[in-house]
Amino acid sequence: MAATEQRPLKVLNAALATSLRDFNAAARHLQAKGVRLLQILPTENRLVISPEDGERLQRERLTEGYQRHGSAGSTRYTVLFEGVTIEWRTPISYRDFQTIH
């Protein structure tokens, strides 16, 4: 049986709608600055970008909360941009290791 009157489907509550609006605004701002978004993860409030773009944002002082996380094969960097977590990874290369003689 079909309902006789149509009701709008409301999926987002006010807090989630505000969070998503801010996330989209930050993503658009990055794209306007020429940053290529490699992964868009709105449920995690996170965007993944290239190492070159991440370093450029750092040089231009557009981010805050810089963190570096080393792992077996790469280093992951995270910063905040307009309340959104921005992440990029760089591979660990031979020159990253210092040999002690």
Side-chain angles (χ1 to χ4, degrees), residues 68-100:
R68 181 176 183 241
H69 310 274
S71 67
S74 66
T75 302
R76 178 174 51 97
Y77 300 90
T78 57
V79 295
L80 285 177
F81 176 81
E82 298 180 5
V84 175
T85 300
I86 307 297
E87 176 182 301
W88 68 90
R89 293 179 185 271
T90 57
I92 293 177
S93 65
Y94 175 75
R95 68 175 176 221
D96 293 332
F97 295 100
Q98 294 182 354
T99 307
I100 299 173

Side-chain angles (χ1 to χ4, degrees), residues 17 20 22-23 36 40-41 44-45 63 72 76 81 88 97:
L20 191 56
D22 294 346
F23 179 85
R36 183 169 174 239
I40 301 170
L41 306 160
E44 299 174 25
N45 197 41
T63 61
R76 178 174 51 97
F81 176 81
W88 68 90
F97 295 100

